């Protein structure tokens, strides 16, 4: 028989319960505060459900009735500089933090007759946001699931289960780096604890000792799937010790127990002993969305619902406070009546009678002309910056190896701007990552080059959280663009949408570097050209530098932009040389300006990255009078239709050339828009040069057959001339 050794962990895992002495010690003031805020949240949520029942809330209304105690108890330990975010069911968390913003530090006794004058305006803005109205915190853009108030320390709640957790890591890291002593708390439910982003975040937070509390509101069910159906270990706080994270279990229907647990947890975070996890057992009284209970849909019993309602957090505090002789029934009733009255007044500001019902006051709807407002920065961050091109640059230029300027410009920017931080996999080893792009930076800028575990979705979302915080400018290296598919939620649902979704109340200065490896033998899962993917989603700027000179200037513009920017690099270009600066790495090349790299009068070819030289060389070999345009900026807002249009009006023909496959193609988007914009000047349909249908594979011959190689480019140019009925040059016809 083998010897068995029982393993243990020194990571604390505790359950916290209150005693009668705790209620006495809490005192009248603390218990009154808990009751006051829960009554306001309960009355507010009841009004939301009533409005939803009347069709006055567009979209879901995820009620938090029954869960107020966990939110109010948790927020009691936080201060103004602490940041929170939550999930789709977050009205209670938002309101608890917002009430702290307007009431903490105020000389206000919640047991007096009148409400504090700051409460109703805050509730009005919150309700307006949930109803999609202009007076809301983000102009009605976010609605019920996307609530943000930066001044109150709410990063932004999230409709993607678990999707906001990595952002909170970024907020926590920024606070740790700044040395403020502030912390972050990310709230999510039992369902999210099975999501990869949440589990990856636990690991990264533990590895980096971040001051973050993972607060799990275990309301026993995800839509209609119970915890026991979703996971074998139903004590969800057991997940924490597995990552070395001290963890606590607490009754979420006991607000004082939650507050005492958070007191302990936040003290640990402020002392540098984070992260921590708290699991609060709680219960939502209603269905996933709307005013009906779960029993109406058959996945809960009325007996179960009644048993949890008997443990109501408001009634618990009122009962314990009365037993301790601190607050009597009349005072509790006063707070309830006042909360209902205050919320009714708030509702009355947003709706008006119509027939036998009510309608939203028409003047409160957002102006539909602002539908795209905030999709990207207005560009004010570039005010005062002088842009240059190689032809107008006055500094010294010489032949430079492309990869050398990649690391050199990042070195220069990190030296000049201590807000710039770099993160990614293996960027501190191998003499600057897998290709030398971060050479020397780890040693030179300690604490600002962050080597990450393999967890693309989490470290990408982390960068988004850092960017929203505003103190640092993250640069993310995705070792290969294909790995972006692992991080799609963070890149496109989160980073790309945040500015617009939250009503242009934030900036998102994230730079993502991704290298195309087509032709290098790395196969189908490492060879993607990401331009077509990123161009599908709003919010992203995309640049594709072809020369060392352009790389420096476009990277500086990317690091200046308040938008997320994808900088695409090509392995084929890394080893190439071209004109580049000798010692000046501070100039800017503008977004949105293409460059004619070969003048011509018969055919216009637009392309980017390694295809620029391939197309130019093919035109030279064939003697084709092709005008070759390096697009450089690839996002929809950055396409230089002025330069493209001027060329097409001269040539009458357009070819869009890209190296990648027919599918997931960037060229499709360009060709479609060109056909509509330039139809009157085209003598033939827009032609595309591209790879095959399949992604390139490992075999050298199959890889070359799959991508747009020299042969495909030449064939495409011949085909384009034939389409417009122009003869092949003599050299090409031989």
């Amino acid at each position: 028989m083998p010897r068995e050794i029982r393993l243990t962990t020194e990571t604390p895992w505790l359950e916290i319960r209150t005693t009668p002495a705790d209620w006495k010690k809490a005192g009248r003031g603390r218990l009154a505060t808990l009751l006051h805020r829960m009554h306001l949240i309960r009355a507010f949520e009841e009004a939301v459900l009533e409005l939803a029942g009347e069709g006055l809330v567009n979209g879901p209304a995820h009620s938090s009735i029954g869960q107020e105690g966990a939110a109010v108890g948790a927020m009691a330990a936080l201060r103004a500089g602490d940041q929170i975010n939550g999930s789709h069911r977050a009205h209670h968390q938002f309101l608890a933090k917002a009430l702290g913003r307007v009431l903490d530090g105020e000389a206000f006794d919640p047991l007096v007759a009148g409400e504090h004058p700051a409460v109703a305006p805050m509730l009005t803005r919150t309700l307006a946001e949930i109803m999609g109205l202009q007076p809301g915190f983000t102009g009605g853009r976010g609605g019920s699931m996307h609530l943000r108030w930066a001044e109150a320390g709410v990063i932004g709640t999230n409709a993607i289960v678990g999707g906001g957790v990595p952002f909170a890591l970024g907020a926590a890291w920024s606070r740790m780096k700044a040395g403020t002593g502030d912390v972050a708390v990310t709230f999510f439910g039992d369902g999210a604890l099975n999501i990869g982003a949440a589990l990856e975040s636990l690991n990264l937070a533990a590895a980096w000792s971040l001051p973050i509390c993972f607060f799990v509101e275990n309301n026993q069910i995800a839509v209609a799937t119970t915890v026991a159906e979703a996971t074998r270990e139903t004590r969800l706080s057991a997940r924490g010790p597995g990552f070395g994270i001290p963890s606590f279990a607490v009754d979420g229907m006991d607000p004082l127990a939650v507050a005492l647990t958070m007191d302990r947890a936040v003290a640990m975070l402020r002392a540098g002993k984070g992260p921590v996890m708290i699991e609060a057992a709680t219960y939502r009284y209603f269905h996933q969305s709307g005013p009906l209970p779960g029993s109406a849909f058959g996945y809960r019993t009325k007996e179960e619902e009644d048993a949890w309602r008997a443990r109501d957090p408001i009634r618990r505090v009122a009962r314990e406070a009365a037993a301790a002789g601190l607050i009597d029934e009349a005072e509790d009733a006063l707070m309830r009546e006042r909360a209902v009255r205050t919320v009714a007044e708030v509702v009355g500001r947003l709706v008006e009678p119509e027939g036998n019902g009510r309608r939203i006051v028409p003047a409160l709807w957002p102006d539909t002309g602002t539908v795209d407002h905030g999709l990207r920065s207005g560009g004010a961050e570039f005010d005062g910056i002088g842009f240059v091109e190689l032809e107008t640059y006055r500094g010294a230029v010489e032949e430079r190896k492309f990869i050398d300027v990649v690391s050199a410009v990042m070195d220069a920017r990190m030296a000049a701007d201590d807000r710039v931080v770099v993160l990614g996999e293996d960027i501190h080893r191998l003499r600057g990552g897998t290709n030398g792009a971060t050479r020397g930076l780890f040693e030179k800028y300690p604490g600002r080059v962050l080597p990450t575990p393999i967890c693309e979705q989490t470290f990408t979302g982390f960068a988004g959280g850092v960017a929203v915080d505003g103190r640092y400018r993250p640069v993310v290296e995705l070792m290969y663009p294909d790995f972006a598919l692992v991080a799609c939620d963070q890149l496109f649902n989160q980073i790309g949408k945040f500015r617009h979704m939250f009503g242009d109340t934030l900036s998102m200065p994230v730079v993502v570097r991704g290298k195309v490896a087509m032709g290098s033998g790395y196969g189908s899962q490492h060879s993607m050209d990401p331009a077509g993917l990123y161009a599908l989603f709003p919010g992203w700027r995309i640049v594709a530098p072809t020369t060392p000179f352009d790389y420096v200037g476009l990277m500086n513009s990317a690091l200046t932009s308040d938008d997320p920017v994808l900088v695409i690099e090509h392995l084929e270009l890394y080893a190439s040389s071209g004109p580049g600066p000798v010692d000046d790495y501070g100039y800017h090349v503008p977004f949105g300006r293409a460059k004619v790299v070969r003048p011509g009068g018969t055919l216009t070819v637009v392309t980017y990255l390694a295809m620029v030289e391939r197309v130019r060389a093919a035109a030279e070999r064939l003697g084709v009078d092709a005008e070759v345009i390096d697009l450089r900026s690839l996002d929809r807002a950055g396409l230089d239709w002025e330069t493209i249009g001027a060329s097409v009006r001269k040539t009458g023909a357009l070819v869009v050339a890209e190296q990648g496959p027919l599918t997931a193609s960037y060229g499709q988007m360009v060709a479609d828009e060109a056909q509509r914009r330039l139809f009157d000047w085209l003598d033939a349909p827009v032609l595309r040069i591209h790879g095959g249908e399949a992604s390139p594979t490992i075999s050298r011959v199959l890889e070359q057959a799959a991508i747009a190689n020299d042969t495909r480019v030449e064939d495409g140019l011949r085909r384009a001339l034939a389409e417009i009925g122009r003869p092949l040059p003599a050299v090409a016809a031989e």
Side-chain angles (χ1 to χ4, degrees), residues 498-532:
F498 243 59
R499 176 193 285 273
H500 178 262
M501 184 170 71
F502 288 119
D504 204 15
T505 60
L506 55 93
S507 295
M508 186 59 76
V510 175
V511 173
V512 172
R513 294 179 44 248
K515 61 194 178 200
V516 179
M518 285 185 200
S520 63
Y522 269 79
S524 298
Q525 295 177 329
H526 286 66
S527 301
M528 176 184 183
D529 175 350

Side-chain angles (χ1 to χ4, degrees), residues 190-441:
D190 46 276
L193 204 52
N194 298 318
I195 295 289
L199 295 170
E200 288 181 3
S201 294
L202 291 172
N203 181 64
L204 188 62
W208 290 357
S209 299
L210 297 179
I212 183 170
C213 174
F214 296 95
F215 196 103
V216 185
E217 279 191 322
N218 181 0
N219 65 13
Q220 319 303 313
I221 205 158
V223 185
T225 301
T226 66
V227 173
E229 290 175 302
T231 188
R232 187 171 189 175
E233 174 54 89
T234 59
R235 299 171 301 172
L236 300 182
S237 53
R239 304 284 180 90
F243 292 95
I245 297 176
S247 298
F248 302 91
V250 66
D251 181 2
M253 310 302 272
D254 180 346
L256 181 59
V258 175
L260 294 175
T261 304
M262 276 294 285
D263 286 344
R264 185 180 302 192
V266 170
M268 293 171 64
L269 298 182
R270 299 202 201 284
K273 298 178 181 179
V276 296
M277 173 184 276
I278 295 174
E279 176 196 2
T282 184
Y283 199 80
R284 58 170 165 85
Y285 292 173
F286 293 92
H287 179 52
Q288 170 75 354
S289 177
L292 296 176
S295 57
F297 299 87
Y299 62 84
R300 280 178 163 166
T301 66
K302 290 183 178 180
E303 292 75 16
E304 176 190 308
E305 291 171 342
D306 289 343
W308 278 92
R309 282 180 178 270
R311 298 172 55 196
D312 186 88
I314 298 178
R315 299 275 53 82
R316 175 71 185 273
V317 174
R319 185 172 63 251
E320 296 284 1
L326 298 171
I327 298 173
D328 61 31
E329 290 184 9
E331 290 171 318
D332 175 54
L334 168 68
M335 284 189 280
R336 166 65 181 174
E337 184 276 330
R338 186 180 60 202
V340 171
R341 185 176 65 249
T342 299
V343 171
E345 293 170 358
V346 165
V347 172
R349 298 175 185 178
L350 304 179
V351 301
E352 62 186 16
E354 183 182 48
N356 294 326
R358 299 185 291 184
R359 69 170 184 173
I360 290 171
V361 176
L364 300 180
W365 289 111
D367 179 356
T368 57
T370 66
V371 64
D372 290 331
H373 179 71
L375 189 60
R376 60 188 65 86
S377 165
E381 65 269 31
F382 289 102
D383 289 350
I385 290 177
F387 295 106
V388 299
E389 298 286 356
L390 179 62
E391 295 76 13
T392 60
Y393 180 65
R394 296 184 179 181
V397 175
E398 65 181 15
E399 283 289 300
R400 297 292 308 276
K401 194 172 180 181
F402 196 104
I403 191 60
D404 289 342
V405 304
V406 172
S407 59
V409 67
M410 194 58 63
D411 185 1
R413 280 304 292 257
M414 293 185 79
D417 186 351
D418 60 10
R419 297 174 301 163
V420 177
V421 296
V422 179
L423 61 145
E425 297 158 355
D426 288 319
I427 59 173
H428 63 317
R429 305 283 192 228
L430 309 174
R431 297 179 181 176
T434 52
N435 293 96
T438 53
R439 186 172 58 243
L441 302 184

Side-chain angles (χ1 to χ4, degrees), residues 111-161:
L111 296 172
V112 299
E115 185 57 84
H116 191 283
V119 169
M122 182 275 291
L123 294 179
T124 301
R125 294 185 70 188
T126 306
L127 186 58
E129 186 60 43
I130 290 170
M131 297 173 72
L133 306 180
Q134 194 280 327
F137 281 100
T138 57
R141 294 282 184 84
S144 171
M145 297 186 289
H146 311 113
L147 296 168
R148 169 178 165 81
W149 188 17
E151 292 79 5
V154 184
I155 305 166
T157 63
N158 210 284
I160 303 298
V161 174

